């Protein structure tokens, strides 16, 4: 399966620093991708990271991509995408339309919020 994942570098979990919150997202995504045999792909060869941090950039690249529909969009939690979702509902619907499935990994990987990641 092929997928794309988004990490919100501005989101901060309770009791964690911003850097720790980014690491929690990265680790949860990597676990989920590996366990579900999903290959993270880059639509833009000039993209520096293996993931997106800006949903607007993802939408732009999806529009430029002339391939088939992608298997999944992987996001840490609804909370990490909430600002974009509420601010740009039409763009969110367009992004989702390029994928067969949108997965929120916090529900899949973390039995209790951030339980797999000990930063305390």
């Amino acid at each position: 399966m092929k997928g794309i994942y988004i990490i919100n570098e501005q989101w901060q979990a309770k009791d964690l620093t911003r850097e720790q919150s980014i690491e929690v997202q990265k680790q949860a995504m990597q676990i989920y991708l590996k366990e579900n045999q999903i290959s993270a792909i880059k639509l833009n060869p000039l993209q520096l990271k293996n993931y997106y941090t800006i949903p607007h950039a993802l939408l732009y690249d999806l529009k430029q991509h002339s391939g088939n529909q992608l298997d999944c969009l992987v996001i840490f939690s609804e909370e990490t995408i909430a600002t974009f979702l509420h601010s740009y509902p039409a763009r969110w619907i367009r992004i989702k339309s390029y994928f067969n499935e949108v997965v929120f990994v916090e529900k899949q990987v973390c039995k209790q919020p951030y339980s797999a990641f000990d930063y305390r």
Side-chain angles (χ1 to χ4, degrees):
M1 288 189 355
K2 293 181 182 178
I4 291 177
Y5 63 108
I6 296 176
I7 291 180
N8 184 343
E9 294 180 340
Q10 303 305 310
W11 175 76
Q12 188 170 343
K14 280 186 183 177
D15 302 327
L16 298 180
T17 67
R18 184 166 287 157
E19 292 77 19
Q20 291 170 332
S21 298
I22 292 169
E23 280 305 309
V24 165
Q25 291 178 79
K26 284 182 185 178
Q27 288 180 16
M29 301 287 192
Q30 290 168 351
I31 290 168
Y32 184 83
L33 294 172
K34 185 177 179 180
E35 287 179 354
N36 293 279
Q37 300 175 348
I38 299 170
S39 299
I41 63 165
K42 290 184 185 182
L43 299 177
N44 181 346
L46 301 177
Q47 183 175 320
L48 298 176
K49 299 177 181 175
N50 289 331
Y51 54 87
Y52 282 84
T53 59
I54 303 169
H56 299 285
L58 172 58
L59 180 57
Y60 177 83
D61 287 349
L62 287 166
K63 289 177 184 177
Q64 304 302 314
H65 179 64
S66 60
N68 296 329
Q69 190 162 3
L70 298 166
D71 294 314
C72 61
L73 174 61
V74 182
I75 303 170
F76 180 72
S77 70
E78 292 178 38
E79 181 183 351
T80 60
I81 197 76
T83 301
F84 180 82
L85 199 155
H86 295 295
S87 299
Y88 305 98
R91 290 183 184 184
W92 174 243
I93 290 169
R94 295 224 27 219
I95 288 172
K96 289 188 341 180
S97 73
Y98 287 94
F99 298 92
N100 292 330
E101 175 181 21
V102 176
V103 177
F104 296 103
V105 301
E106 181 183 34
K107 296 176 183 177
Q108 308 289 325
V109 174
C110 303
K111 302 302 180 208
Q112 298 173 14
Y114 328 118
S115 64
F117 316 104
D118 185 19
Y119 285 103
R120 295 178 183 122

